[in-house]
Short mmCIF file of all heavy atoms in Angstrom, two decimals:
data_model
loop_
_atom_site.label_atom_id
_atom_site.label_comp_id
_atom_site.label_asym_id
_atom_site.label_seq_id
_atom_site.Cartn_x
_atom_site.Cartn_y
_atom_site.Cartn_z
N MET A 1 331.97 22.04 137.10
CA MET A 1 331.19 22.93 137.97
C MET A 1 330.89 22.29 139.31
O MET A 1 330.28 22.87 140.18
CB MET A 1 329.89 23.29 137.24
CG MET A 1 329.05 24.32 137.97
SD MET A 1 327.43 24.55 137.26
CE MET A 1 327.81 25.70 135.95
N ALA A 2 331.30 21.03 139.49
CA ALA A 2 331.08 20.31 140.75
C ALA A 2 329.60 20.07 141.04
O ALA A 2 329.02 20.65 141.95
CB ALA A 2 331.73 21.06 141.91
N TYR A 3 329.03 19.20 140.21
CA TYR A 3 327.64 18.80 140.45
C TYR A 3 327.52 18.05 141.77
O TYR A 3 328.44 17.35 142.18
CB TYR A 3 327.16 17.87 139.34
CG TYR A 3 327.06 18.47 137.97
CD1 TYR A 3 327.11 17.65 136.84
CD2 TYR A 3 326.89 19.83 137.79
CE1 TYR A 3 327.01 18.19 135.57
CE2 TYR A 3 326.79 20.37 136.53
CZ TYR A 3 326.85 19.55 135.41
OH TYR A 3 326.75 20.06 134.16
N LYS A 4 326.36 18.18 142.39
CA LYS A 4 326.01 17.34 143.53
C LYS A 4 325.20 16.16 142.99
O LYS A 4 324.37 16.33 142.11
CB LYS A 4 325.19 18.13 144.56
CG LYS A 4 326.00 19.14 145.34
CD LYS A 4 325.14 19.74 146.43
CE LYS A 4 325.94 20.63 147.38
NZ LYS A 4 326.83 21.55 146.73
N VAL A 5 325.43 14.99 143.57
CA VAL A 5 324.79 13.78 143.06
C VAL A 5 324.02 13.10 144.18
O VAL A 5 324.44 13.06 145.33
CB VAL A 5 325.84 12.82 142.46
CG1 VAL A 5 326.91 12.45 143.47
CG2 VAL A 5 325.18 11.56 141.88
N GLN A 6 322.84 12.58 143.80
CA GLN A 6 322.02 11.82 144.74
C GLN A 6 321.37 10.66 143.99
O GLN A 6 320.85 10.85 142.88
CB GLN A 6 320.94 12.72 145.34
CG GLN A 6 320.07 12.01 146.37
CD GLN A 6 319.00 12.92 146.96
OE1 GLN A 6 318.74 14.00 146.43
NE2 GLN A 6 318.39 12.49 148.04
N ILE A 7 321.41 9.49 144.59
CA ILE A 7 320.70 8.34 144.01
C ILE A 7 319.40 8.15 144.78
O ILE A 7 319.41 8.03 146.01
CB ILE A 7 321.54 7.06 144.08
CG1 ILE A 7 322.82 7.23 143.25
CG2 ILE A 7 320.72 5.86 143.58
CD1 ILE A 7 323.77 6.04 143.33
N ILE A 8 318.30 8.16 144.04
CA ILE A 8 316.99 7.91 144.66
C ILE A 8 316.82 6.40 144.73
O ILE A 8 316.47 5.75 143.73
CB ILE A 8 315.86 8.55 143.83
CG1 ILE A 8 316.17 10.02 143.53
CG2 ILE A 8 314.53 8.40 144.57
CD1 ILE A 8 316.41 10.88 144.74
N THR A 9 317.10 5.82 145.89
CA THR A 9 317.18 4.37 145.98
C THR A 9 315.83 3.70 145.75
O THR A 9 315.78 2.55 145.31
CB THR A 9 317.77 3.92 147.33
OG1 THR A 9 317.03 4.53 148.38
CG2 THR A 9 319.21 4.33 147.46
N SER A 10 314.75 4.43 145.98
CA SER A 10 313.43 3.83 145.74
C SER A 10 313.18 3.64 144.25
O SER A 10 312.30 2.86 143.87
CB SER A 10 312.34 4.69 146.36
OG SER A 10 312.34 5.99 145.77
N LEU A 11 313.95 4.34 143.41
CA LEU A 11 313.81 4.18 141.96
C LEU A 11 314.81 3.18 141.39
O LEU A 11 314.60 2.64 140.31
CB LEU A 11 314.01 5.53 141.25
CG LEU A 11 312.99 6.63 141.53
CD1 LEU A 11 313.37 7.90 140.79
CD2 LEU A 11 311.59 6.18 141.10
N CYS A 12 315.91 2.95 142.09
CA CYS A 12 316.98 2.09 141.57
C CYS A 12 316.50 0.65 141.52
O CYS A 12 315.98 0.12 142.51
CB CYS A 12 318.22 2.20 142.45
SG CYS A 12 319.56 1.09 141.96
N CYS A 13 316.71 0.00 140.36
CA CYS A 13 316.33 -1.41 140.23
C CYS A 13 317.55 -2.28 139.94
O CYS A 13 317.41 -3.41 139.49
CB CYS A 13 315.24 -1.59 139.19
SG CYS A 13 315.70 -1.01 137.55
N GLY A 14 318.74 -1.74 140.16
CA GLY A 14 319.94 -2.57 140.18
C GLY A 14 320.47 -3.03 138.84
O GLY A 14 321.13 -4.06 138.76
N THR A 15 320.24 -2.27 137.79
CA THR A 15 320.69 -2.71 136.47
C THR A 15 322.19 -2.56 136.26
O THR A 15 322.74 -3.15 135.33
CB THR A 15 320.01 -1.87 135.37
OG1 THR A 15 320.38 -0.51 135.54
CG2 THR A 15 318.49 -2.00 135.44
N SER A 16 322.85 -1.75 137.05
CA SER A 16 324.30 -1.51 136.99
C SER A 16 324.76 -0.66 135.81
O SER A 16 325.97 -0.51 135.59
CB SER A 16 325.11 -2.83 136.96
OG SER A 16 324.82 -3.63 138.06
N ASN A 17 323.84 -0.14 135.02
CA ASN A 17 324.26 0.68 133.87
C ASN A 17 325.16 1.83 134.31
O ASN A 17 326.13 2.16 133.63
CB ASN A 17 323.04 1.28 133.17
CG ASN A 17 322.06 0.26 132.67
OD1 ASN A 17 321.84 -0.74 133.34
ND2 ASN A 17 321.47 0.51 131.52
N CYS A 18 324.83 2.44 135.43
CA CYS A 18 325.61 3.59 135.89
C CYS A 18 327.04 3.19 136.19
O CYS A 18 327.98 3.92 135.87
CB CYS A 18 324.95 4.21 137.13
SG CYS A 18 324.68 3.05 138.49
N VAL A 19 327.21 2.01 136.79
CA VAL A 19 328.54 1.53 137.13
C VAL A 19 329.33 1.20 135.86
O VAL A 19 330.52 1.49 135.75
CB VAL A 19 328.45 0.31 138.06
CG1 VAL A 19 329.83 -0.22 138.40
CG2 VAL A 19 327.69 0.67 139.33
N GLU A 20 328.65 0.59 134.91
CA GLU A 20 329.34 0.24 133.66
C GLU A 20 329.79 1.49 132.92
O GLU A 20 330.87 1.51 132.34
CB GLU A 20 328.39 -0.59 132.77
CG GLU A 20 328.16 -1.99 133.32
CD GLU A 20 327.01 -2.70 132.64
OE1 GLU A 20 326.65 -2.30 131.52
OE2 GLU A 20 326.49 -3.66 133.24
N GLU A 21 328.98 2.52 132.94
CA GLU A 21 329.31 3.74 132.20
C GLU A 21 330.26 4.66 132.95
O GLU A 21 331.03 5.39 132.32
CB GLU A 21 328.02 4.52 131.88
CG GLU A 21 327.19 3.90 130.79
CD GLU A 21 327.91 3.85 129.46
OE1 GLU A 21 328.63 4.81 129.13
OE2 GLU A 21 327.79 2.84 128.76
N ALA A 22 330.20 4.62 134.27
CA ALA A 22 331.02 5.56 135.05
C ALA A 22 331.48 4.90 136.36
O ALA A 22 331.06 5.28 137.45
CB ALA A 22 330.22 6.83 135.35
N PRO A 23 332.39 3.92 136.24
CA PRO A 23 332.84 3.21 137.44
C PRO A 23 333.63 4.09 138.39
O PRO A 23 333.79 3.74 139.56
CB PRO A 23 333.71 2.07 136.86
CG PRO A 23 334.11 2.53 135.50
CD PRO A 23 332.97 3.38 135.00
N GLU A 24 334.11 5.23 137.90
CA GLU A 24 334.82 6.15 138.79
C GLU A 24 333.85 6.80 139.78
O GLU A 24 334.25 7.22 140.86
CB GLU A 24 335.51 7.26 137.99
CG GLU A 24 336.44 6.76 136.90
CD GLU A 24 335.72 6.41 135.59
OE1 GLU A 24 334.46 6.48 135.57
OE2 GLU A 24 336.40 6.04 134.63
N ALA A 25 332.60 6.88 139.39
CA ALA A 25 331.62 7.62 140.17
C ALA A 25 330.65 6.74 140.95
O ALA A 25 330.17 7.14 142.02
CB ALA A 25 330.82 8.55 139.25
N PHE A 26 330.35 5.56 140.40
CA PHE A 26 329.30 4.72 140.99
C PHE A 26 329.80 3.30 141.22
O PHE A 26 330.68 2.81 140.51
CB PHE A 26 328.07 4.70 140.07
CG PHE A 26 327.50 6.06 139.80
CD1 PHE A 26 327.79 6.72 138.62
CD2 PHE A 26 326.71 6.71 140.73
CE1 PHE A 26 327.29 8.00 138.36
CE2 PHE A 26 326.21 7.98 140.50
CZ PHE A 26 326.50 8.62 139.31
N GLU A 27 329.20 2.64 142.21
CA GLU A 27 329.50 1.23 142.46
C GLU A 27 328.22 0.57 142.96
O GLU A 27 327.27 1.25 143.34
CB GLU A 27 330.62 1.08 143.49
CG GLU A 27 330.27 1.62 144.86
CD GLU A 27 331.46 1.61 145.81
OE1 GLU A 27 332.52 1.10 145.41
OE2 GLU A 27 331.32 2.11 146.93
N MET A 28 328.23 -0.76 142.93
CA MET A 28 327.05 -1.49 143.38
C MET A 28 327.21 -1.92 144.83
O MET A 28 328.27 -2.37 145.25
CB MET A 28 326.81 -2.74 142.52
CG MET A 28 326.41 -2.45 141.09
SD MET A 28 324.94 -1.40 140.93
CE MET A 28 323.65 -2.48 141.58
N ASP A 29 326.14 -1.79 145.59
CA ASP A 29 326.02 -2.45 146.89
C ASP A 29 325.45 -3.82 146.57
O ASP A 29 324.24 -3.97 146.36
CB ASP A 29 325.08 -1.65 147.79
CG ASP A 29 324.86 -2.31 149.14
OD1 ASP A 29 325.09 -3.53 149.26
OD2 ASP A 29 324.43 -1.61 150.07
N GLU A 30 326.33 -4.81 146.50
CA GLU A 30 325.90 -6.13 146.02
C GLU A 30 324.89 -6.76 146.98
O GLU A 30 324.02 -7.53 146.55
CB GLU A 30 327.12 -7.05 145.85
CG GLU A 30 328.15 -6.53 144.85
CD GLU A 30 327.63 -6.50 143.41
OE1 GLU A 30 326.55 -7.05 143.14
OE2 GLU A 30 328.32 -5.91 142.55
N ASP A 31 325.00 -6.48 148.26
CA ASP A 31 324.06 -7.08 149.22
C ASP A 31 322.64 -6.58 148.99
O ASP A 31 321.69 -7.35 149.06
CB ASP A 31 324.49 -6.74 150.66
CG ASP A 31 325.77 -7.46 151.05
OD1 ASP A 31 326.10 -8.48 150.41
OD2 ASP A 31 326.45 -6.98 151.99
N ARG A 32 322.52 -5.29 148.70
CA ARG A 32 321.19 -4.71 148.55
C ARG A 32 320.75 -4.65 147.10
O ARG A 32 319.58 -4.38 146.81
CB ARG A 32 321.16 -3.30 149.16
CG ARG A 32 321.48 -3.29 150.65
CD ARG A 32 321.70 -1.88 151.16
NE ARG A 32 320.49 -1.09 151.14
CZ ARG A 32 320.44 0.23 151.01
NH1 ARG A 32 321.57 0.90 150.89
NH2 ARG A 32 319.30 0.87 151.00
N GLY A 33 321.69 -4.85 146.17
CA GLY A 33 321.35 -4.77 144.76
C GLY A 33 321.03 -3.37 144.30
O GLY A 33 320.24 -3.17 143.37
N LEU A 34 321.66 -2.39 144.94
CA LEU A 34 321.41 -0.99 144.63
C LEU A 34 322.73 -0.29 144.33
O LEU A 34 323.78 -0.69 144.82
CB LEU A 34 320.74 -0.29 145.82
CG LEU A 34 319.39 -0.82 146.27
CD1 LEU A 34 318.96 -0.13 147.57
CD2 LEU A 34 318.35 -0.61 145.19
N ALA A 35 322.63 0.77 143.54
CA ALA A 35 323.82 1.56 143.25
C ALA A 35 324.13 2.50 144.41
O ALA A 35 323.24 2.94 145.14
CB ALA A 35 323.61 2.37 141.98
N LEU A 36 325.42 2.79 144.55
CA LEU A 36 325.92 3.75 145.53
C LEU A 36 326.79 4.76 144.80
O LEU A 36 327.37 4.46 143.76
CB LEU A 36 326.79 3.06 146.58
CG LEU A 36 326.17 1.97 147.44
CD1 LEU A 36 327.27 1.27 148.25
CD2 LEU A 36 325.13 2.58 148.37
N VAL A 37 326.88 5.94 145.37
CA VAL A 37 327.85 6.91 144.87
C VAL A 37 329.22 6.49 145.41
O VAL A 37 329.43 6.44 146.62
CB VAL A 37 327.52 8.34 145.32
CG1 VAL A 37 328.58 9.31 144.80
CG2 VAL A 37 326.14 8.75 144.81
N ARG A 38 330.12 6.17 144.51
CA ARG A 38 331.46 5.76 144.93
C ARG A 38 332.30 6.98 145.25
O ARG A 38 333.07 6.99 146.21
CB ARG A 38 332.11 4.96 143.81
CG ARG A 38 333.52 4.54 144.10
CD ARG A 38 334.12 3.77 142.94
NE ARG A 38 335.44 3.30 143.25
CZ ARG A 38 336.29 2.85 142.35
NH1 ARG A 38 335.92 2.79 141.07
NH2 ARG A 38 337.48 2.46 142.70
N SER A 39 332.16 8.01 144.40
CA SER A 39 332.95 9.22 144.59
C SER A 39 332.13 10.46 144.28
O SER A 39 331.93 10.79 143.11
CB SER A 39 334.19 9.18 143.69
OG SER A 39 334.86 10.43 143.78
N PRO A 40 331.65 11.15 145.31
CA PRO A 40 330.90 12.39 145.07
C PRO A 40 331.76 13.44 144.37
O PRO A 40 331.22 14.38 143.77
CB PRO A 40 330.53 12.88 146.47
CG PRO A 40 330.71 11.71 147.37
CD PRO A 40 331.75 10.84 146.74
N GLN A 41 333.09 13.27 144.45
CA GLN A 41 334.00 14.23 143.81
C GLN A 41 334.34 13.84 142.38
O GLN A 41 335.22 14.45 141.77
CB GLN A 41 335.30 14.38 144.62
CG GLN A 41 335.14 15.24 145.86
CD GLN A 41 334.50 14.50 147.01
OE1 GLN A 41 334.80 13.33 147.24
NE2 GLN A 41 333.60 15.15 147.73
N ALA A 42 333.70 12.80 141.87
CA ALA A 42 333.95 12.42 140.48
C ALA A 42 333.66 13.61 139.56
O ALA A 42 332.93 14.53 139.93
CB ALA A 42 333.06 11.23 140.10
N SER A 43 334.24 13.56 138.38
CA SER A 43 334.07 14.68 137.46
C SER A 43 332.60 14.82 137.04
O SER A 43 331.84 13.85 137.06
CB SER A 43 334.92 14.48 136.21
OG SER A 43 334.38 13.45 135.41
N ASP A 44 332.24 16.04 136.68
CA ASP A 44 330.87 16.27 136.20
C ASP A 44 330.56 15.35 135.03
O ASP A 44 329.44 14.84 134.90
CB ASP A 44 330.69 17.72 135.77
CG ASP A 44 330.67 18.68 136.95
OD1 ASP A 44 330.67 18.21 138.11
OD2 ASP A 44 330.64 19.90 136.71
N GLY A 45 331.55 15.16 134.15
CA GLY A 45 331.33 14.31 132.98
C GLY A 45 331.02 12.88 133.37
O GLY A 45 330.11 12.26 132.79
N ASP A 46 331.74 12.35 134.34
CA ASP A 46 331.48 10.98 134.80
C ASP A 46 330.11 10.89 135.46
O ASP A 46 329.35 9.94 135.23
CB ASP A 46 332.55 10.53 135.79
CG ASP A 46 333.86 10.20 135.10
OD1 ASP A 46 333.85 9.94 133.89
OD2 ASP A 46 334.90 10.22 135.80
N LEU A 47 329.78 11.87 136.30
CA LEU A 47 328.48 11.85 136.98
C LEU A 47 327.34 11.90 135.97
O LEU A 47 326.36 11.16 136.07
CB LEU A 47 328.37 13.02 137.96
CG LEU A 47 329.30 12.95 139.18
CD1 LEU A 47 329.24 14.27 139.95
CD2 LEU A 47 328.95 11.78 140.09
N LEU A 48 327.50 12.76 134.97
CA LEU A 48 326.43 12.91 133.98
C LEU A 48 326.32 11.66 133.11
O LEU A 48 325.21 11.20 132.81
CB LEU A 48 326.69 14.15 133.12
CG LEU A 48 325.59 14.50 132.13
CD1 LEU A 48 324.26 14.77 132.84
CD2 LEU A 48 325.99 15.74 131.31
N ARG A 49 327.44 11.08 132.74
CA ARG A 49 327.40 9.87 131.91
C ARG A 49 326.68 8.74 132.66
O ARG A 49 325.87 8.01 132.09
CB ARG A 49 328.81 9.46 131.53
CG ARG A 49 328.87 8.53 130.34
CD ARG A 49 330.26 8.39 129.76
NE ARG A 49 331.23 7.91 130.72
CZ ARG A 49 332.19 8.64 131.27
NH1 ARG A 49 332.35 9.89 130.92
NH2 ARG A 49 333.01 8.12 132.15
N GLY A 50 326.98 8.59 133.94
CA GLY A 50 326.31 7.57 134.72
C GLY A 50 324.82 7.85 134.87
O GLY A 50 323.99 6.95 134.75
N ALA A 51 324.49 9.11 135.13
CA ALA A 51 323.08 9.47 135.31
C ALA A 51 322.29 9.24 134.03
O ALA A 51 321.16 8.71 134.06
CB ALA A 51 322.97 10.93 135.74
N GLU A 52 322.88 9.59 132.90
CA GLU A 52 322.17 9.43 131.63
C GLU A 52 321.98 7.96 131.27
O GLU A 52 321.07 7.62 130.51
CB GLU A 52 322.93 10.15 130.51
CG GLU A 52 322.82 11.66 130.61
CD GLU A 52 323.61 12.39 129.55
OE1 GLU A 52 324.59 11.81 129.00
OE2 GLU A 52 323.28 13.55 129.27
N ALA A 53 322.82 7.09 131.83
CA ALA A 53 322.71 5.66 131.52
C ALA A 53 321.62 4.98 132.33
O ALA A 53 321.26 3.84 132.03
CB ALA A 53 324.05 4.98 131.81
N CYS A 54 321.08 5.66 133.33
CA CYS A 54 320.10 5.02 134.22
C CYS A 54 318.72 5.00 133.58
O CYS A 54 318.15 6.05 133.29
CB CYS A 54 320.04 5.76 135.55
SG CYS A 54 318.82 5.04 136.66
N PRO A 55 318.16 3.80 133.40
CA PRO A 55 316.84 3.72 132.77
C PRO A 55 315.71 4.21 133.67
O PRO A 55 314.60 4.45 133.20
CB PRO A 55 316.69 2.22 132.46
CG PRO A 55 317.54 1.54 133.49
CD PRO A 55 318.70 2.47 133.72
N MET A 56 315.99 4.36 134.96
CA MET A 56 314.97 4.76 135.92
C MET A 56 315.05 6.23 136.29
O MET A 56 314.26 6.71 137.09
CB MET A 56 315.11 3.91 137.20
CG MET A 56 315.06 2.42 136.98
SD MET A 56 313.53 1.91 136.17
CE MET A 56 312.37 2.24 137.49
N GLN A 57 316.04 6.93 135.74
CA GLN A 57 316.30 8.32 136.13
C GLN A 57 316.42 8.44 137.64
O GLN A 57 315.90 9.37 138.27
CB GLN A 57 315.24 9.26 135.57
CG GLN A 57 315.21 9.25 134.04
CD GLN A 57 314.42 10.38 133.44
OE1 GLN A 57 313.44 10.84 134.00
NE2 GLN A 57 314.87 10.85 132.29
N ALA A 58 317.13 7.46 138.21
CA ALA A 58 317.29 7.42 139.66
C ALA A 58 318.45 8.28 140.16
O ALA A 58 318.60 8.47 141.37
CB ALA A 58 317.51 5.98 140.11
N ILE A 59 319.28 8.75 139.22
CA ILE A 59 320.45 9.54 139.61
C ILE A 59 320.16 11.01 139.29
O ILE A 59 319.97 11.37 138.13
CB ILE A 59 321.70 9.06 138.87
CG1 ILE A 59 321.96 7.59 139.19
CG2 ILE A 59 322.90 9.92 139.26
CD1 ILE A 59 323.07 6.97 138.39
N GLN A 60 320.12 11.81 140.33
CA GLN A 60 319.78 13.22 140.17
C GLN A 60 321.02 14.07 140.39
O GLN A 60 321.77 13.86 141.34
CB GLN A 60 318.70 13.62 141.16
CG GLN A 60 317.39 12.89 140.91
CD GLN A 60 316.25 13.39 141.76
OE1 GLN A 60 316.44 14.14 142.71
NE2 GLN A 60 315.05 12.97 141.42
N LEU A 61 321.21 15.03 139.50
CA LEU A 61 322.34 15.94 139.59
C LEU A 61 321.83 17.37 139.73
O LEU A 61 320.89 17.77 139.04
CB LEU A 61 323.20 15.85 138.33
CG LEU A 61 323.76 14.47 137.97
CD1 LEU A 61 324.55 14.56 136.66
CD2 LEU A 61 324.63 13.92 139.08
N THR A 62 322.47 18.11 140.62
CA THR A 62 322.17 19.54 140.75
C THR A 62 323.48 20.32 140.69
O THR A 62 324.55 19.78 141.02
CB THR A 62 321.46 19.85 142.09
OG1 THR A 62 322.24 19.32 143.16
CG2 THR A 62 320.07 19.25 142.14
N ASP A 63 323.39 21.55 140.25
CA ASP A 63 324.59 22.38 140.22
C ASP A 63 324.76 23.06 141.58
O ASP A 63 323.91 22.91 142.47
CB ASP A 63 324.56 23.35 139.03
CG ASP A 63 323.58 24.50 139.22
OD1 ASP A 63 323.11 24.73 140.36
OD2 ASP A 63 323.29 25.17 138.22
N PRO A 64 325.86 23.76 141.80
CA PRO A 64 326.12 24.34 143.13
C PRO A 64 325.06 25.33 143.59
O PRO A 64 324.97 25.62 144.79
CB PRO A 64 327.49 25.02 142.95
CG PRO A 64 328.15 24.26 141.86
CD PRO A 64 327.04 23.90 140.91
N THR A 65 324.27 25.85 142.67
CA THR A 65 323.21 26.77 143.08
C THR A 65 321.92 26.03 143.44
O THR A 65 320.93 26.65 143.83
CB THR A 65 322.89 27.77 141.95
OG1 THR A 65 322.24 27.09 140.87
CG2 THR A 65 324.14 28.46 141.44
N GLY A 66 321.92 24.70 143.29
CA GLY A 66 320.74 23.91 143.59
C GLY A 66 319.83 23.68 142.39
O GLY A 66 318.80 23.01 142.53
N ARG A 67 320.23 24.20 141.22
CA ARG A 67 319.42 24.01 140.03
C ARG A 67 319.58 22.58 139.51
O ARG A 67 320.68 22.05 139.46
CB ARG A 67 319.86 24.98 138.93
CG ARG A 67 318.98 24.98 137.70
CD ARG A 67 319.49 25.97 136.67
NE ARG A 67 320.81 25.57 136.15
CZ ARG A 67 321.00 24.76 135.12
NH1 ARG A 67 319.96 24.26 134.48
NH2 ARG A 67 322.20 24.45 134.72
N ARG A 68 318.45 21.96 139.17
CA ARG A 68 318.49 20.60 138.66
C ARG A 68 319.20 20.57 137.32
O ARG A 68 318.86 21.31 136.41
CB ARG A 68 317.06 20.05 138.52
CG ARG A 68 316.95 18.63 137.98
CD ARG A 68 317.29 17.58 139.01
NE ARG A 68 316.33 17.56 140.10
CZ ARG A 68 315.19 16.86 140.06
NH1 ARG A 68 314.88 16.15 139.02
NH2 ARG A 68 314.38 16.90 141.09
N VAL A 69 320.17 19.68 137.20
CA VAL A 69 320.90 19.48 135.95
C VAL A 69 320.38 18.26 135.21
O VAL A 69 320.25 18.27 133.99
CB VAL A 69 322.41 19.31 136.24
CG1 VAL A 69 323.18 18.94 134.98
CG2 VAL A 69 322.98 20.57 136.87
N TYR A 70 320.08 17.19 135.96
CA TYR A 70 319.58 15.95 135.37
C TYR A 70 318.81 15.19 136.41
O TYR A 70 319.26 15.15 137.56
CB TYR A 70 320.75 15.10 134.84
CG TYR A 70 320.28 13.97 133.97
CD1 TYR A 70 320.10 14.14 132.61
CD2 TYR A 70 319.96 12.74 134.54
CE1 TYR A 70 319.62 13.10 131.82
CE2 TYR A 70 319.48 11.70 133.76
CZ TYR A 70 319.32 11.89 132.40
OH TYR A 70 318.83 10.88 131.63
N PRO A 71 317.69 14.51 136.12
CA PRO A 71 317.05 14.49 134.79
C PRO A 71 316.23 15.76 134.57
O PRO A 71 315.92 16.45 135.50
CB PRO A 71 316.13 13.26 134.88
CG PRO A 71 315.80 13.13 136.33
CD PRO A 71 316.99 13.64 137.07
S1 LIG B 101 321.61 2.59 136.34
FE1 LIG B 101 319.99 3.41 137.70
S2 LIG B 101 318.69 1.64 138.17
FE2 LIG B 101 320.62 0.85 137.37
S3 LIG B 101 321.90 0.48 139.21
FE3 LIG B 101 322.39 2.55 138.45
S4 LIG B 101 321.02 3.90 139.64
FE4 LIG B 101 320.21 1.83 139.82
#
């Protein structure tokens, strides 16, 4: 469905879970110790898997209508 993804950097504490679970979608900014969206066009499944792995719920997904999908 082409989710939109946003990382709330004020919540990110750099655990890398999202990158480990979905390296196609997320990567680490090693200098800042924060996650980045590597590919906004990553599959919905990859985006959701990465978001669900985040202990801080820092990764927010919305559907094309703007409805919150996660968290
Ligand atoms: S899993 Fe969450 S807290 Fe950890 S690096 Fe990714 S976005 Fe940041």
Side-chain angles (χ1 to χ4, degrees):
M1 186 189 277
Y3 294 157
K4 287 187 172 46
V5 57
Q6 182 180 14
I7 297 176
I8 309 303
T9 53
S10 61
L11 295 178
C12 176
C13 59
T15 62
S16 303
N17 301 38
C18 55
V19 179
E20 289 167 20
E21 286 298 322
E24 305 83 356
F26 302 100
E27 63 187 355
M28 292 304 293
D29 177 340
E30 300 293 350
D31 291 339
R32 299 169 68 208
L34 299 173
L36 300 171
V37 179
R38 177 181 184 194
S39 173
Q41 283 79 40
S43 72
D44 288 354
D46 285 339
L47 292 172
L48 186 60
R49 199 166 59 252
E52 288 178 337
C54 178
M56 304 303 291
Q57 298 194 327
I59 301 173
Q60 296 187 348
L61 303 178
T62 53
D63 73 15
T65 70
R67 187 180 65 88
R68 180 77 65 87
V69 173
Y70 192 89

